[in-house]
Amino acid sequence: MQSGDGMNGLYLLVCFIGGAALAFQASVNSEVGRRIGTLEVACLAYGVGTLALAAAVYFGGQGNFAALLTLPKWKWFAGLLGATYIFIIVLSVPKIGVAPAIIATIAGQLFLSTVIDHFGLFGNALTPVNGSRIVALGLMLLATYLFYKD
């Protein structure tokens, strides 16, 4: 983050709120999943989310769905990753708890995002791994262990 750039701080805050929303969603989906089933709650979560996003696109979207046809077809399946995440969280939270599930998720995100940044994959800016990032990854793994060990 560049010093003095207030917008970056705002983006970090929004991401923090998004992370908090994921923890809330994991907890609620876990409870709902116990009542209706793991796959069923994952379907419900994605179904409701799809309807909400369809409404947002209809009323405020400014993109171009036709551009989908120009993308490599494998990129269309990125949505499966989100659905897989919801399924894994619903499956895991009742067994290990919300905090260990979320911190393990964040550790996985941090590891892969560091690899993506280091190599500039998928058109992202190249941000090489350095000592502080390696320490951060180690601390994240330690945090994952500490959240789970109790």
Side-chain angles (χ1 to χ4, degrees), residues 100 103-108 138-149:
I103 194 133
T105 300
I106 294 168
L139 290 172
M140 196 66 185
L141 290 175
L142 176 62
T144 302
Y145 169 76
L146 292 173
F147 266 96
Y148 182 71
K149 80 174 193 90

Side-chain angles (χ1 to χ4, degrees), residues 103-115:
I103 194 133
T105 300
I106 294 168
Q109 289 173 337
L110 187 59
F111 174 78
L112 187 56
S113 63
T114 300
V115 171

Side-chain angles (χ1 to χ4, degrees), residues 66-76:
L68 278 171
L69 300 175
T70 66
L71 296 174
K73 301 304 181 239
W74 69 267
K75 290 186 178 182
W76 289 28

